[in-house]
Amino acid sequence: MKRDLTQLSSKTYDVLIVGGGIYGATAAWDATLRGLSVALVEKGDFGSATSSNSLKIVHGGLRYLQNADFKRMRESIRERRIMMQIAPHLVHPLPCVMPTYGYSIKSKEAMWIAMLLNDLISFDRNRLSDPQKHLPRGKIISKQECQQIIPGVEEKKLTGGAIWYDAQMYNSERLTLSFVLSAAEAGADVANYVKVTGFLMDDYRVMGVKAKDVLTGDGLEIRAKIVLNTGGPWAEQVLESLNSRRNHRVLWSSAMNLVTRQLIPKYALGLPGKPRLKAGKGITKKSSQLYFIAPWRNYSLIGTVHAPYYGSPDEYGVTEEQIQTFIDEINAAYPAANLKREDVYFFYGGLLPMAKVNKHTGEVKLLKHYRINDHKKQDGIEGLVSVIGVKYTTARDVSEKAINLVFKKLGKEPPQSMSAMTPVYGGDIEYFEEFLTQEIRGRANEFSPEIVQHLVYNYGSKYSEILKYLKNDRKWGDRVSDRYPVIKAEILYGIKEEMAQKLTDVLLRRTELGSAGNPGNECLKVCATIMAKELGWDAIRIQRELEEAKAVYFPKS
């Protein structure tokens, strides 16, 4: 995957996708598979904004039972199964548990019905050949079993617990990147750090975009028959140059998750939040907040807390006050966690579309349904489609629908989408456990099981591509740091084959070095030294990259 801006400017594409988060990545993959000529540009790095802010759960929509929203459940269940099938190295089953209390909606009886309905609605969840991806039926457990799984769980009125199964992304950043790599391998022209600054117009028809190379400041034009805007929180900024009378404003909420020391090792724990006091009136209001504490690698991911956000997406950042407030809320919901600030190794923040704010509790109500907007109908402007997505799990399905519309706007009948049945980059693995075991045995004389497992989980069937660099120099097989199973060849591969342009690209999205916290100064220097040699950085650039990387781990002041 090479960054070639001259190529982007040299032809007219069927579709140009603006925004390289999960929605843009899956759209590029789907469109390329169906034979369209595709370009994808992203103003930062691929998947560097909201798509990287995630609890990493690929969920089947159990919570939709509360509103009997079976359609959304079926969509989520289907996409969960597809994700495990096309990205078997990156998406794996995750057992979840929730304590039951009393005789209300949180009771054993209510959760038993919920487990039964969930199993019935997800009747086809295990239509996968790999038994490692099979999700067992939900079940109710005793009070004693619940206490064993959740040490220190609140005992007042505790009656037991409910267990069900979802899926989890081992590395959500690499999953997003895998769709981009897949699209590029199939013929799409993609580039990160290209910011769209306006549209190329012919009367009321969009003919492409004006753009800027963020790394050099150079301008360029990219022509396309259709422009698909998947800019997420930046989608409105992309549309500003249309000078449309229509208000394209979407309400946004901030969403924050924490990476902490591991609290519960094997299960994701669902916990209801404690009632809150309404500011200024001292009135206790019932909270509908549900927190999740999920095991991830050797850590816990805790989330998600939402708050209304009315500023520019460029100015958004997680603050120290928000982190401390979140810690207090988690400790109130689960006192046994006893979290302290030093237990928080990293924090993720992003913006999600919001429907409204509850005026009584101040709680955010997220937008339930995605939007695919044809601007011919909205603004009288042909050649432009915008997508507003609401969650990671169903991005592929929404993108398939968006590309169907693109075909229709091109005057073509949409061919069948193949993205639900085609493995992504690294996904050519029929039986995951068998593949992993074979590779560990086969590499026993070269690498420790820990390193091989790490490589397989991140790169899947493509992991041997990393090892090609060792043929000329065995030093590329050395660890970057004793703390992590990441080898130096991964840094080189990220630069040469995965378009890593900045130190943060390597730390956060090409490897797992920095996605759970600051890997340390020595590790940062090793990575920066490799990148400097490959990309021609001088001492000033190296220092700037190091400072930018370290700043990622500090909250916004």
Side-chain angles (χ1 to χ4, degrees):
M1 186 170 72
K2 306 299 181 182
R3 187 175 185 268
D4 187 348
L5 302 195
T6 301
Q7 174 74 5
L8 281 173
S9 301
S10 65
K11 61 183 180 181
T12 299
Y13 296 91
D14 289 324
V15 59
L16 164 63
I17 299 166
V18 179
I22 186 59
Y23 281 82
T26 50
W29 175 222
D30 188 89
T32 308
L33 276 176
R34 290 202 253 179
L36 295 178
S37 59
V38 177
L40 168 68
V41 295
E42 160 59 42
K43 72 183 213 51
D45 189 27
F46 304 116
S48 60
T50 298
S51 294
S52 65
N53 171 49
S54 168
L55 266 181
K56 308 191 188 298
I57 293 177
V58 182
H59 66 83
L62 177 65
R63 66 176 183 264
Y64 302 150
L65 279 176
Q66 296 179 37
N67 300 314
D69 195 343
F70 302 127
K71 182 177 183 293
R72 289 182 78 198
M73 278 193 74
R74 286 296 302 162
E75 289 174 348
S76 297
I77 289 163
R78 176 175 182 263
E79 292 306 307
R80 180 183 63 190
R81 185 182 72 243
I82 288 171
M83 285 289 200
M84 286 196 288
Q85 180 175 336
I86 67 176
H89 55 308
L90 289 166
V91 186
H92 303 273
L94 174 70
C96 306
V97 63
M98 184 178 293
T100 57
Y101 293 95
Y103 300 96
S104 63
I105 194 171
K106 301 176 185 177
S107 69
K108 263 189 176 184
E109 294 76 15
M111 290 303 296
W112 180 84
I113 293 172
M115 296 298 99
L116 177 61
L117 287 172
N118 187 49
D119 289 338
L120 289 172
I121 296 167
S122 62
F123 65 91
D124 57 351
R125 65 189 181 279
N126 291 329
R127 287 183 182 172
L128 296 166
S129 59
D130 188 352
Q132 190 259 347
K133 305 300 181 189
H134 287 186
L135 305 181
R137 292 180 177 179
K139 63 180 181 180
I140 299 299
I141 59 175
S142 68
K143 177 179 178 179
Q144 290 72 28
E145 289 175 296
C146 185
Q147 289 172 318
Q148 289 175 358
I149 294 172
I150 316 171
V153 64
E154 184 175 329
E155 295 187 15
K156 186 178 180 181
K157 296 184 179 180
L158 178 69
T159 58
I163 289 177
W164 73 97
Y165 293 80
D166 256 321
Q168 183 183 54
M169 295 175 273
Y170 178 81
N171 190 328
S172 58
E173 293 83 1
R174 285 212 63 87
L175 182 54
T176 300
L177 185 65
S178 293
F179 284 106
V180 178
L181 289 164
S182 299
E185 192 175 51
D189 294 327
V190 306
N192 53 5
Y193 296 102
V194 174
K195 181 179 180 179
V196 170
T197 57
F199 290 102
L200 300 174
M201 303 290 296
D202 183 2
D203 289 331
Y204 291 98
R205 173 178 285 274
V206 170
M207 306 296 288
V209 301
K210 301 173 185 177
K212 181 180 75 172
D213 182 348
V214 174
L215 301 177
T216 65
D218 295 338
L220 67 152
E221 293 183 352
I222 310 170
R223 298 188 175 275
K225 298 172 186 176
I226 304 292
V227 173
L228 180 62
N229 175 18
T230 59
W234 285 268
E236 296 168 56
Q237 289 187 4
V238 173
L239 297 174
E240 283 177 359
S241 63
L242 286 176
N243 294 321
S244 169
R245 294 180 180 179
R246 183 179 178 87
N247 181 9
H248 295 101
R249 181 164 177 75
V250 176
L251 297 175
W252 296 95
S253 71
S254 64
M256 182 176 65
N257 300 294
L258 303 179
V259 181
T260 73
R261 62 175 169 80
Q262 193 167 82
L263 302 180
I264 299 175
K266 295 182 180 180
Y267 291 82
L269 168 61
L271 281 175
K274 292 295 183 182
R276 299 175 178 175
L277 293 178
K278 187 175 180 183
K281 294 187 178 180
I283 302 172
T284 302
K285 294 292 182 181
K286 185 178 180 180
S287 172
S288 59
Q289 176 71 59
L290 182 68
Y291 299 115
F292 264 86
I293 303 174
W296 176 65
R297 301 179 190 166
N298 296 316
Y299 311 95
S300 279
L301 277 170
I302 306 179
T304 302
V305 64
H306 300 275
Y309 183 77
Y310 302 109
S312 165
D314 293 312
E315 298 172 354
Y316 171 69
V318 174
T319 67
E320 187 64 52
E321 181 182 3
Q322 289 173 324
I323 293 173
Q324 189 58 58
T325 298
F326 195 10
I327 291 172
D328 294 341
E329 290 185 5
I330 293 299
N331 284 336
Y334 182 40
N338 193 28
L339 280 178
K340 299 178 176 61
R341 179 62 180 88
E342 57 265 30
D343 296 323
V344 177
Y345 305 141
F346 199 21
F347 47 86
Y348 297 143
L351 299 174
L352 293 174
M354 175 178 71
K356 64 179 182 180
V357 179
N358 187 316
K359 63 181 181 181
H360 299 295
T361 65
E363 292 180 325
V364 165
K365 184 176 182 181
L366 295 175
L367 193 68
K368 288 184 178 180
H369 302 287
Y370 64 86
R371 297 175 183 173
I372 301 176
N373 300 326
D374 183 348
H375 291 276
K376 172 66 173 177
K377 297 178 179 178
Q378 284 196 344
D379 306 285
I381 296 174
E382 186 57 271
L384 179 63
V385 176
S386 291
V387 174
I388 300 296
V390 295
K391 63 180 182 178
Y392 197 115
T393 299
T394 53
R396 189 217 60 85
D397 179 59
V398 175
S399 293
E400 178 183 325
K401 292 178 172 65
I403 298 303
N404 285 343
L405 177 58
V406 168
F407 270 101
K408 292 175 182 176
K409 294 184 73 62
L410 289 170
K412 301 178 181 180
E413 185 65 27
Q416 180 184 1
S417 171
M418 301 301 291
S419 61
M421 56 197 79
T422 307
V424 300
Y425 192 86
D428 289 310
I429 300 173
E430 187 173 3
Y431 299 105
F432 182 78
E433 291 289 359
E434 182 179 309
F435 179 84
L436 178 61
T437 300
Q438 288 177 349
E439 298 307 311
I440 288 175
R441 288 174 180 170
R443 302 283 182 181
N445 294 328
E446 302 173 79
F447 299 105
S448 68
E450 181 188 18
I451 288 178
V452 177
Q453 178 171 304
H454 153 79
L455 290 171
V456 169
Y457 268 84
N458 281 286
Y459 303 93
S461 57
K462 294 287 189 179
Y463 90 94
S464 59
E465 296 293 311
I466 313 295
L467 304 183
K468 290 181 179 179
Y469 295 106
L470 277 64
K471 292 179 180 179
N472 297 325
D473 192 340
R474 293 293 304 178
K475 75 175 183 181
W476 294 113
D478 295 342
R479 291 184 183 228
V480 177
S481 166
D482 291 339
R483 292 168 56 189
Y484 307 97
V486 178
I487 61 174
K488 292 180 179 179
E490 293 179 63
I491 313 300
L492 193 62
Y493 185 77
I495 300 164
K496 288 181 173 292
E497 304 297 336
E498 297 183 334
M499 212 178 286
Q501 303 293 318
K502 299 175 71 62
L503 181 55
T504 49
D505 299 344
V506 162
L507 291 173
L508 300 172
R509 291 172 291 277
R510 302 306 184 278
T511 75
E512 60 180 64
L513 281 171
S515 54
N518 191 332
N521 289 337
E522 288 305 312
C523 181
L524 295 179
K525 289 177 182 178
V526 170
C527 294
T529 300
I530 295 172
M531 296 194 77
K533 184 176 181 180
E534 292 299 320
L535 298 174
W537 294 351
D538 59 17
I540 294 174
R541 176 67 185 273
I542 292 173
Q543 188 59 36
R544 186 170 76 241
E545 292 289 334
L546 288 169
E547 290 174 358
E548 288 180 6
K550 292 174 185 177
V552 168
Y553 302 101
F554 289 93
K556 183 179 178 181
S557 58

